[in-house]
Structure formats: C-alpha cells, structure tokens
Amino acid sequence: MPRGLWINCALKERMMNWLHSIEYPGATGMVEILILAAAFYFLVKFFRGTRGAAILTGLAILFTFLMLITKFTNLLILNRLLQMLMPYLALALIVIFQPEIRRALARLGRQGHFMTGKARSALADPVTEAVLLLASRKIGALIAIEREVETKTIQNTGTAMNSEVSTELLTSIFYPGTPLHDGGVIISEDRIAAAGCVFPLTQTDNLTRDLGTRHRAAIGLTEETDTVVIVVSEETGVISIAHNGRLKRGFDGPQLHRVLTSFLSRETNGLGEDRGPAGFMFEEDSND
C-alpha cells in the first residue's frame, strides 16, 4: 500500500475513533446547557458597559493565555499553580464588580412604595415648571426623584426638609447664593426629603472628559439606585435626565413632562431592567 494512502487511512481511522468516543448529551444535558447559556448571556448583558467589564475581559484573556501556554509547553508546576488560583479569582471578581452586585441586590430586595402611579406622576407638574424656570435663567440644578430603592444614606449627607414639592421651593433652593444650592435635592414619595445632598460620582471610564461634576453625580446616583435624576446645566441651561447609569440631554418642556410622567407611573420589580419609557434611549451627555 502506498505510504500516502496508508497515512490517509490511519488519519480517517483515528478521526472515526475520536468521533465515536464523544459522549453526546441527552435530554437532561441539553437542558443544563441551555440553562448555563442563558445564565452566561444575562451575566454578559448585565456587566456589559460597566467599568469592570474591561478588567474582566483582560483577566479572562490573560488567564486563558497562561493556561494554554503552560499546558502545551509542559510547564506542569505553573499550570498547577494557575489552577489553584482559580478559586481566588472568584473573590477578585466580587471585588471588581462590587458596585454592580450591590445594585443587583438592591433591585432584588427593593420594597415598593405605597403611592399609586397616579399620585407619583402628579409630581411631574411642579418639577417640570421648576426645571424650565431654572433652565431659562441658566441656574444649575440637580433633582433626584426616588422610586423604589430608598436613598436614606444619600439624604443623610444633606439637610432634612420633609417639605411639599412646589415650583417656588425648588427654584429657591437652587438660586445662587442660597446655602443649599450646590447640592442635590431628593424627592421621596410626594415630599422634598432633603436638599444639599452629596451624590456619589460615577466611576465609569467611557465618559467624555468635558462631562461636568453635576452630570457625573447624576449618573453615579442612578448607578446605585433606580432614581430618576434631572440635571440643569449652569453653563448652557440644557436639561438632561439620568436613569439606570445613562444620561440623555436636550429636553424641552413637553418632552420633560412626558418622560417624567412615564417614569413616575411605571413600576419595576425584581431584577428586571427598567429602561424607561418605550423607545426612550439614554446616551452619555457631553456638556455640563
């Protein structure tokens, strides 16, 4: 038999033996594969775009590369050490994704307010009027409307008010020179809970450099809670809305009122993503 033909026959025989050695999953195995695929998909979707996503990608590439190199070059001791480090990698992921995990747990354990959607949506009128007045005068403002996740910790950084929501009070709080104008206002249920609050700044790396502190604070609060935050730029008077870690700018009066009404009348539950009104997409702002 020619040598070339003999080699081809040997390769085909080895291939057939390899195919026969594969153990195909049954019905239970297929169900497990689908569950794992769905879990992986939702994890990737949840962490995509977060500050830890790039770190996770880099760690995965580096770890896989080192495992393959040590395996195929017979560096068995190093390969064994890498395998021993794998349990500690899970701890590292918890540290890296601590903000995202905290936000997910907050959504899971959130308690709904007893206010009806109609009662909450009524807040859109005085808030819209105040924001439009502040924007027309280019007075900076930062107004957070609490929904289902409580913001008690953030409220404690400011001055407690427990006041009725009114256009006059909101505009007077942010008027330049007043003691509370530099901080943010938090509206809880149908009351102004606190003013002069310090919101956490976002740590997201993919924001434009000219994004102002006020807008970064708005994004930061919505990364940790399900609040809706309205921002008025002190330089341009542009009105923006932050929600779920995203920012959309350039609202006029009717648009602002419609979006606020939709947000405040909507309910969210569990871990479901709340992306705002239908067709309303958020993008990062580039102005202060």
Side-chain angles (χ1 to χ4, degrees):
M1 179 183 295
R3 180 176 177 81
L5 182 60
W6 180 82
I7 293 176
N8 288 335
C9 291
L11 289 175
K12 289 181 180 179
E13 184 178 357
R14 292 183 62 182
M15 182 64 69
M16 293 299 296
N17 292 334
W18 179 75
L19 290 175
H20 287 303
S21 66
I22 296 176
E23 185 177 345
Y24 295 96
T28 304
M30 291 301 298
V31 172
E32 292 177 341
I33 291 174
L34 290 175
I35 293 175
L36 290 174
F40 182 77
Y41 169 77
F42 284 112
L43 282 175
V44 172
K45 184 178 179 182
F46 181 78
F47 289 120
R48 184 180 60 187
T50 63
R51 61 172 178 165
I55 300 176
L56 177 62
T57 303
L59 281 176
I61 294 174
L62 178 62
F63 198 81
T64 303
F65 176 76
L66 290 177
M67 287 291 290
L68 292 175
I69 289 295
T70 55
K71 181 69 174 178
F72 289 106
T73 56
N74 291 323
L75 300 175
L76 301 181
I77 296 179
L78 292 178
N79 186 268
R80 179 61 178 169
L81 288 175
L82 289 174
Q83 293 181 26
M84 293 174 62
L85 288 175
M86 289 189 66
Y88 299 99
L89 184 61
L91 180 60
L93 293 178
I94 293 176
V95 175
I96 293 172
F97 290 104
Q98 183 264 343
E100 288 78 15
I101 294 173
R102 180 174 57 182
R103 182 172 58 182
L105 293 176
R107 289 178 180 174
L108 181 63
R110 69 178 52 163
Q111 299 294 326
H113 293 305
F114 293 102
M115 292 182 64
T116 63
K118 183 177 181 180
R120 288 198 294 181
S121 62
L123 295 174
D125 293 332
V127 173
T128 300
E129 292 176 6
V131 169
L132 291 177
L133 183 59
L134 292 168
S136 65
R137 300 179 180 179
K138 292 187 178 181
I139 298 176
L142 188 61
I143 303 173
I145 302 178
E146 183 183 276
R147 299 177 73 207
E148 296 183 34
V149 177
E150 291 187 353
T151 57
K152 207 69 177 178
T153 304
I154 308 300
Q155 295 177 27
N156 292 337
T157 64
T159 301
M161 297 190 66
N162 191 27
S163 305
E164 181 181 352
V165 179
S166 66
T167 303
E168 294 77 14
L169 181 56
L170 285 174
T171 53
S172 63
I173 289 174
F174 292 106
Y175 196 81
T178 58
L180 303 176
H181 80 282
D182 278 336
V185 165
I186 295 180
I187 299 176
S188 179
E189 297 188 4
D190 61 342
R191 312 283 290 179
I192 297 179
C197 301
V198 179
F199 293 179
L201 297 179
T202 180
Q203 300 299 317
T204 304
D205 298 327
N206 58 353
L207 300 177
T208 56
R209 293 184 178 180
D210 56 351
L211 195 65
T213 303
R214 186 175 285 113
H215 292 80
R216 291 181 180 270
I219 298 174
L221 182 59
T222 61
E223 287 176 340
E224 300 187 4
T225 68
D226 63 344
T227 52
V228 179
V229 183
I230 304 100
V231 188
V232 178
S233 171
E234 187 175 355
E235 295 180 358
T236 62
V238 172
I239 301 171
S240 306
I241 294 181
H243 175 64
N244 199 26
R246 302 292 182 184
L247 192 73
K248 172 99 177 156
R249 66 185 298 270
F251 288 89
D252 57 21
Q255 290 175 335
L256 176 64
H257 188 275
R258 183 173 65 254
V259 171
L260 286 181
T261 302
S262 180
F263 268 122
L264 295 174
S265 60
R266 257 187 101 176
E267 299 291 340
T268 61
N269 49 67
L271 288 173
E273 289 290 331
D274 182 11
R275 301 188 181 276
F280 189 81
M281 300 299 294
F282 284 88
E283 60 186 8
E284 287 76 13
D285 197 358
S286 59
N287 295 296
D288 180 33

